[in-house]
Amino acid sequence: MKLREYKDIAYGPHERNRLDAYLADAGKEPSPVLVFFHGGGYVGGDKSAILGMTLLQECLEAGISVVSCNYRFITKAPFPAPMEDGTRALQFVRSMAAEWGLDPKRVASSGSSAGGHIALWNALKGNLAKPVSPDPVERYSSAVSAFVGFGTQVSKDQRFYTGMYEGPHIQPNIALFYGIPSEDELYKPENLKLAEEASAINFMSATAPPAFMVYYYRLDDSKCIPKDAPVGEVIHHPMHGYVLQQKYLEFGIPYILRHSGDPVRPGEIVQFLRESFSMNETENGRFP
């Protein structure tokens, strides 16, 4: 398998605006591309995480290029900085399409945990291009044809858990995420507004791209998160994916939910991407 690699490419002005590109040989045609964001609670992690995932090899063998991105941590740049970096990375990848042999009409986003939320937030926000920006990268579309998430939160709003979780845990680093002094200020009106703006699920619409969600905990018939669940389970529980799935069903948009009780089938993610790309080859990359 022929493969070109580019490491530590700057996609923006900040220190952590760096990406690694693994470019598949799609023959004479430009290849589709999956843009991935690592996990780490918005305070850690690295783009090299993709190297430990079967997703990378499966995509490359299927002729799908993969780009793995770092982004700013909330220790230095709280919300919306990580989401804005996600937007910028998607735009940058499109700006490099001709040089790297990528198809700008077939771009998918993906991520794990915090990175999954960055990717999902951008996927549901759609095209955030600024057509008259003096920065040429910002003029490119950030919309995607599909989304694939691993342990993805769909909300950064503690009110999301009402009716499904009665335990004591608050999302880790949530005050840091919003750049506020303490968790005691979460329910101030201005911070609730921030929570609404930061939560990907609030941007669900009829133009959302097809989605594939993978969780490593079990979704049982109670459709609740156990009260005694550790915080890692609470924030990565498949109830996140289940609640979003109900919204997808309302619009009739393709959505696959997998968890430990109903795990991913071999080759299923690549097949999902292929189908999404084939049904979604529009100029701006969004689901019609």
Side-chain angles (χ1 to χ4, degrees):
M1 177 180 60
K2 293 182 180 179
L3 175 67
R4 287 180 293 148
E5 295 185 13
Y6 297 95
K7 295 294 185 76
D8 288 320
I9 303 300
Y11 68 82
H14 305 289
E15 181 182 4
R16 282 192 53 81
N17 291 164
R18 297 290 185 273
L19 58 77
D20 296 338
Y22 305 89
L23 306 180
D25 183 3
K28 296 181 180 179
E29 299 296 324
S31 76
V33 58
L34 180 77
V35 182
F36 180 85
F37 300 91
H38 65 81
Y42 300 95
V43 297
D46 185 78
K47 52 188 169 54
S48 61
I50 192 70
L51 297 174
M53 300 178 66
T54 58
L55 177 69
L56 175 62
Q57 192 66 22
E58 289 177 352
C59 283
L60 293 176
E61 289 177 354
I64 301 171
S65 295
V66 177
V67 175
S68 186
C69 309
N70 283 348
Y71 48 87
R72 283 174 287 173
F73 293 146
I74 55 175
T75 48
K76 293 185 177 180
F79 174 82
M83 278 57 184
E84 291 173 341
D85 288 353
T87 305
R88 175 80 182 192
L90 289 163
Q91 292 173 316
F92 179 83
V93 169
R94 271 206 173 88
S95 77
M96 297 297 291
E99 181 175 337
W100 285 354
L102 305 175
D103 186 345
K105 296 181 182 179
R106 295 186 294 166
V107 179
S109 66
S110 179
S112 175
S113 189
H117 190 237
I118 291 171
L120 179 64
W121 187 91
N122 275 282
L124 297 185
K125 289 280 280 189
N127 185 4
L128 296 175
K130 300 176 181 178
V132 297
S133 172
D135 182 345
V137 172
E138 290 186 347
R139 300 175 205 156
Y140 283 88
S141 173
S142 62
V144 297
S145 301
F147 168 78
V148 179
F150 300 88
T152 301
Q153 287 181 293
V154 303
S155 176
K156 291 297 293 181
D157 188 335
Q158 280 299 125
R159 295 173 294 179
F160 169 79
Y161 295 104
T162 302
M164 72 175 81
Y165 172 65
E166 297 178 353
H169 295 300
I170 300 291
Q171 297 182 48
N173 304 320
I174 195 165
L176 195 61
F177 180 85
Y178 292 118
I180 60 178
S182 73
E183 295 171 0
D184 296 335
E185 298 191 9
L186 281 177
Y187 292 94
K188 287 186 174 181
E190 63 270 26
N191 294 330
L192 289 176
K193 186 174 187 300
L194 271 181
E196 292 167 0
E197 293 171 355
S199 297
I201 195 169
N202 292 338
F203 302 104
M204 180 64 201
S205 72
T207 57
F212 193 118
M213 288 287 211
V214 181
Y215 293 88
Y216 303 107
Y217 295 97
R218 188 181 185 88
L219 180 66
D220 61 30
D221 293 338
S222 72
K223 299 298 187 292
C224 288
I225 301 173
K227 185 176 182 179
D228 60 351
V231 68
E233 180 176 350
V234 174
I235 63 174
H236 298 121
H237 196 276
M239 277 302 295
H240 282 268
Y242 176 78
V243 174
L244 182 59
Q245 182 183 45
Q246 306 317 299
K247 293 185 176 293
Y248 263 78
L249 289 172
E250 291 176 14
F251 290 105
I253 301 171
Y255 186 99
I256 298 173
L257 175 61
R258 295 287 178 247
H259 54 89
S260 65
D262 185 18
V264 178
R265 287 64 162 161
E268 189 176 25
I269 293 177
V270 164
Q271 183 61 28
F272 163 79
L273 288 170
R274 284 173 168 163
E275 292 175 358
S276 299
F277 288 140
S278 67
M279 69 189 296
N280 201 9
E281 293 178 353
T282 60
E283 182 177 352
N284 64 2
R286 295 194 71 180
F287 185 74

